[in-house]
């Protein structure tokens, strides 16, 4: 229900849009009937409970698997988008650096350097002397944000590592960047592909959650009926001679509903409950269920 609520906020507040065994949840509960085909009543109670518990655990395992797959895809997409829109220290460079600004040959290479805006003037004065064999006037500003500027600079490959080490010592961030033709288009295609995959996984997970929630509600209801049966036998003995019903009191009228039910069975219990109505809600909620003349189970949706 929580996962489904991430996609459809209505599901987190109400079960009205959830189907259980081909009918709406509210109708299913109002007209609940034991599913004899799935859970034959002639079988031992232990076997029935184990079957119900197994279905619930299987649903939980599938939910974990599907949710993990969805979150992994979402994380991959978020990572790529962060590289497209994040700071210059992590932003994807293939979409920023023009191809004709990059010189890659047997002897020359182009580096991408992130320079703090406060050090930009000093960078322009000193980058040619950070190490020898830097191509003069090769520094070009690619883009800037509120904190930094991104420059390209061309130098001889033989001094690349020395330049990186000394530049970092001066407070400049030399990005690890390998020029690849068409990398920008490939990155955009990858984002579009992941977005499409994420949309498909989200739709599939939402639909599966709706079906699974209905199945879990059915399992939960059958387990409650088993509990009701067992507690009734322990309370009233054999042979079984009792009935059950579902009551949905208005909000904050739970005690009034219990009082009405108790009145039908025991006037003394009804008076006891009535005396609690209007008092502190915490005290009223502490009524011992064993003191009631009926079995009370709560179904929270």
């Amino acid at each position: 229900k929580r996962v489904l609520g991430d996609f459809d906020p209505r599901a987190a507040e109400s079960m009205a849009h959830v189907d259980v065994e081909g009918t709406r949840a509210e109708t299913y509960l109002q007209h609940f009937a034991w599913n004899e085909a799935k859970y034959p009543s002639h079988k031992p109670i232990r076997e029935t409970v184990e079957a119900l518990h197994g279905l619930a655990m299987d649903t939980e395992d599938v939910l974990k698997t599907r949710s993990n797959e969805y979150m992994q895809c979402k994380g991959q997409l978020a990572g790529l988008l962060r590289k497209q829109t994040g700071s210059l220290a992590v932003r994807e460079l293939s979409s920023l650096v023009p191809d004709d600004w990059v010189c890659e040959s047997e002897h020359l290479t182009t580096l991408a350097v992130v320079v703090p805006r406060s050090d930009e003037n000093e960078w322009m004065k000193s980058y040619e002397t950070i190490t020898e064999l830097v191509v003069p006037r090769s520094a070009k500003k690619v883009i800037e944000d509120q904190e930094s500027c991104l420059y390209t600079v061309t130098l001889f490959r033989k001094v690349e590592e020395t330049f990186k080490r000394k530049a970092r010592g001066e407070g400049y961030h030399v990005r690890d960047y390998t020029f690849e033709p068409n990398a920008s288009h490939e990155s955009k295609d990858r984002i579009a592909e992941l977005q499409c995959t994420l949309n498909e996984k989200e739709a599939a997970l939402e639909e599966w959650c709706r079906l699974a929630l209905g199945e879990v509600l059915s399992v939960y209801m059958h387990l409650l009926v088993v509990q009701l049966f067992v507690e009734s036998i322990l309370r009233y003995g054999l042979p079984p001679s009792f009935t059950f019903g579902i009551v949905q009191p208005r909000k904050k009228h739970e005690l009034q509903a219990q009082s009405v039910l108790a009145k039908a069975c025991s006037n003394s219990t009804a008076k006891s409950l009535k005396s609690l109505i209007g008092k502190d809600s915490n005290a009223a909620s502490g009524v011992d269920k064993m003191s009631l003349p009926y079995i009370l189970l709560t179904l929270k949706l």
Side-chain angles (χ1 to χ4, degrees), residues 170-278:
E170 296 292 331
Y172 307 129
H173 180 197
V174 182
R175 293 285 307 274
D176 292 326
Y177 169 65
T178 302
F179 172 71
E180 296 180 5
N182 301 319
S184 175
H185 296 294
E186 292 176 359
S187 179
K188 291 179 180 178
D189 291 343
R190 177 57 177 161
I191 289 176
E193 179 184 352
L194 275 176
Q195 184 64 65
C196 182
T197 301
L198 182 65
N199 292 341
E200 292 175 352
K201 287 185 176 295
E202 180 176 315
L205 180 57
E206 179 180 358
E207 180 62 25
W208 181 86
C209 283
R210 290 185 186 280
L211 296 174
L213 183 56
E215 293 177 0
V216 169
L217 179 57
S218 174
V219 169
Y220 185 29
M221 192 61 187
H222 280 78
L223 283 172
L224 282 179
V225 171
V226 172
Q227 181 182 354
L228 179 65
F229 177 80
V230 172
E231 291 193 15
S232 298
I233 292 296
L234 294 175
R235 174 81 69 89
Y236 306 121
L238 293 171
S241 179
F242 46 80
T243 186
F244 81 94
I246 298 177
V247 178
Q248 184 179 13
R250 295 193 303 274
K251 192 174 182 180
K252 298 182 179 179
H253 287 73
E254 291 83 359
L255 280 176
Q256 285 87 338
Q258 290 185 29
S259 178
V260 171
L261 291 172
K263 187 176 181 179
C265 304
S266 170
N267 288 331
S268 60
T269 306
K271 291 178 181 179
S272 175
L273 283 169
K274 188 175 182 180
S275 67
L276 288 173
I277 299 175

Side-chain angles (χ1 to χ4, degrees), residues 100-105 107-113 123 127-128 131-140 151-157 159 163:
D100 55 359
W101 285 23
V102 178
C103 179
E104 295 293 333
S105 65
H107 300 290
L108 295 175
T109 186
T110 298
L111 302 180
V113 184
W123 158 261
Y127 80 88
E128 294 180 3
T131 186
E132 59 182 3
L133 300 179
V134 177
V135 177
R137 296 185 296 278
S138 62
K140 297 180 181 179
Y151 277 87
T152 59
V153 60
T154 302
L155 43 81
F156 280 78
R157 289 187 180 276
V159 298
F163 182 91

Side-chain angles (χ1 to χ4, degrees), residues 27-46:
T27 303
Y28 172 80
L29 294 176
Q30 291 173 344
H31 303 279
F32 174 80
W34 183 269
N35 193 327
E36 188 69 23
K38 281 187 175 181
Y39 318 109
S41 57
H42 61 81
K43 288 189 175 182
I45 290 179
R46 177 186 292 274

